[in-house]
Amino acid sequence: MKALYLMQKQVLQERDLPIPEPTDCEVQIKVKSVGVCGSDIHYYEHGRIGDMIVREPLILGHEVSGEITRIGSHVKDLEIGELVVIEPFVVCGKCEACRTGRYNLCPDHKFYATPPFDGALREYVTFDSSFVHKVPEGINAELATLVEPMAVGIYSSRCVGTGLGDKVIIYGAGVVGLCCLICAYSAGAKEVTMVDVRDDRLKIAEKLGATRIINPAHDDPSQYLNYYDIAYECSGAEPALIDASNRVKVGGRISAIGFHTKTTQEAPITQMVIKTQQLVATFRYANSFPAALDIILKNRDKVTKFITHRFKFEDSEKAFIAARDDKSAIKVMINM
């Protein structure tokens, strides 16, 4: 089979590998679609994300769907030919985090396309059947890859406690921010405001149902102060956390999702203490894929708008360049 390796930053190389055989508890999957994530672009461009450094050739891609082609002898609830999506974790299953259902915090976990664990940009993969989810009818292979970022929105929404009647503000109108918008409404939010410095992204958010849009580059920053119940910070932009604290009410909650380029950033701690705001940090997701599949099924028309570019596997480098450079790109898809 063919596989695409990141050899060093901005250098991709196709290699031939043996087709992997599933163990007793695994399934073999013929990859159909892989979404290009911001982390993939970061590894491609810089060869690292913080302390996670590409020291050896690495296969990228962790948003992946495909068709089951072989089944291990101990697998009972999956069948050959089914379209599935992979929840890209390998965890120990024994630590306190795993035993309490928070496997995203497993200290020994491996995550697809995170050094040194290879990802999905190859023709076949094998994976533990416990982390392989059936895709319901009505969701195609491309939409199925969006379950992964949608799970981020669901997990954050649950952790921050979004509920009926809440007024929500979201920072960052990328894929995760747009997923948070859909998840907030699904959780019962009354209204959702989207903040971004790009007007084109804000227009997309507006089409997806955002109540209002704010571009801090030219909109009045004094609007809607102490107005929102909940904020999602998906941008990683340094001023966003400060702005979120200003706009969230006394006793409100702020979900920290986005990664900043620095390991530390300024936070309005004194104001947050005085306003008794809760800062809820969330990392990836746990137990969220089934709900993500359901939300995508119910919002197919909206979620389809996320996919702006499509490339074949042999044109993967063009896909990475488009995701990095094309300002119209939201979700770039590589189809096998």
Side-chain angles (χ1 to χ4, degrees):
M1 70 171 185
K2 296 188 182 302
L4 188 70
Y5 280 88
L6 177 67
M7 305 302 295
Q8 59 189 37
K9 60 182 181 180
Q10 301 180 46
V11 177
L12 297 171
Q13 184 182 98
E14 191 177 293
R15 290 182 174 182
D16 288 326
L17 294 177
I19 295 175
E21 298 294 327
T23 63
D24 290 343
C25 295
E26 290 182 333
V27 294
Q28 180 193 76
I29 299 168
K30 182 175 177 57
V31 175
K32 292 287 189 182
S33 295
V34 179
V36 180
C37 176
S39 64
D40 295 320
I41 297 303
H42 216 83
Y43 283 126
Y44 172 76
E45 182 71 9
H46 305 289
R48 66 186 297 165
I49 298 177
D51 294 333
M52 297 176 286
I53 302 170
V54 180
R55 303 185 189 277
E56 301 289 340
L58 179 73
I59 301 174
L60 294 172
H62 64 264
E63 301 172 0
V64 53
S65 68
E67 180 182 309
I68 294 178
T69 45
R70 291 191 62 184
I71 293 178
S73 59
H74 294 173
V75 179
K76 304 299 181 184
D77 56 346
L78 295 168
E79 297 180 4
I80 290 174
E82 287 183 320
L83 180 64
V84 293
V85 63
I86 294 173
E87 187 172 358
F89 280 106
V90 175
V91 298
C92 76
K94 300 176 181 178
C95 68
E96 182 180 359
C98 285
R99 287 187 286 106
T100 56
R102 299 176 297 164
Y103 51 84
N104 56 318
L105 305 180
C106 173
D108 296 321
H109 86 271
K110 298 174 183 177
F111 193 80
Y112 250 20
T114 301
F117 191 43
D118 284 331
L121 275 172
R122 39 185 159 164
E123 291 182 286
Y124 290 87
V125 297
T126 56
F127 216 80
D128 186 327
S129 63
S130 300
F131 286 84
V132 175
H133 302 266
K134 296 179 185 180
V135 175
E137 290 187 16
I139 299 178
N140 62 26
E142 288 187 339
L143 286 180
T145 68
L146 295 172
V147 170
E148 200 274 343
M150 190 66 73
V152 175
I154 288 170
Y155 186 66
S156 298
S157 181
R158 287 172 173 171
C159 288
V160 81
T162 307
L164 292 172
D166 281 336
K167 291 179 284 189
V168 172
I169 186 167
I170 298 172
Y171 293 81
V175 172
V176 170
L178 296 175
C179 285
C180 286
L181 183 151
I182 291 173
C183 290
Y185 277 130
S186 297
K190 177 183 178 181
E191 58 180 76
V192 179
T193 295
M194 187 67 74
V195 182
D196 203 290
V197 294
R198 286 179 51 180
D199 289 324
D200 57 336
R201 290 288 178 90
L202 291 173
K203 289 177 182 177
I204 293 169
E206 201 168 33
K207 290 178 181 177
L208 292 175
T211 312
R212 65 182 62 87
I213 54 177
I214 295 175
N215 186 331
H218 51 66
D219 290 330
D220 183 1
S222 66
Q223 290 183 317
Y224 303 103
L225 300 182
N226 302 304
Y227 180 79
Y228 296 96
D229 302 291
I230 292 171
Y232 293 80
E233 206 302 273
C234 306
S235 70
E238 192 158 8
L241 197 59
I242 298 171
D243 194 72
S245 180
N246 290 336
R247 295 182 191 272
V248 169
K249 296 176 181 177
V250 169
R253 302 178 299 283
I254 301 170
S255 175
I257 304 169
F259 282 95
H260 195 267
T261 53
K262 297 186 291 187
T263 55
T264 60
Q265 67 182 95
E266 185 179 353
I269 297 299
T270 300
Q271 175 171 274
M272 292 174 71
V273 170
I274 292 171
K275 295 177 76 172
T276 321
Q277 294 170 334
Q278 296 180 48
L279 180 62
V280 183
T282 59
F283 181 58
R284 292 178 178 150
Y285 41 76
N287 309 301
S288 300
F289 266 48
L293 283 163
D294 185 57
I295 285 179
I296 286 179
L297 184 61
K298 292 175 179 176
N299 294 272
R300 280 176 298 180
D301 292 342
K302 290 182 178 180
V303 177
T304 299
K305 293 182 173 67
F306 292 6
I307 303 171
T308 54
H309 295 66
R310 295 173 172 88
F311 294 87
K312 295 180 180 179
F313 176 72
E314 53 266 31
D315 296 321
S316 291
E317 186 156 13
K318 294 179 181 178
F320 277 80
I321 292 171
R324 182 192 65 185
D325 297 340
D326 191 333
K327 291 189 179 299
S328 69
I330 300 176
K331 176 56 64 180
V332 173
M333 200 66 60
I334 298 173
N335 294 315
M336 308 298 278

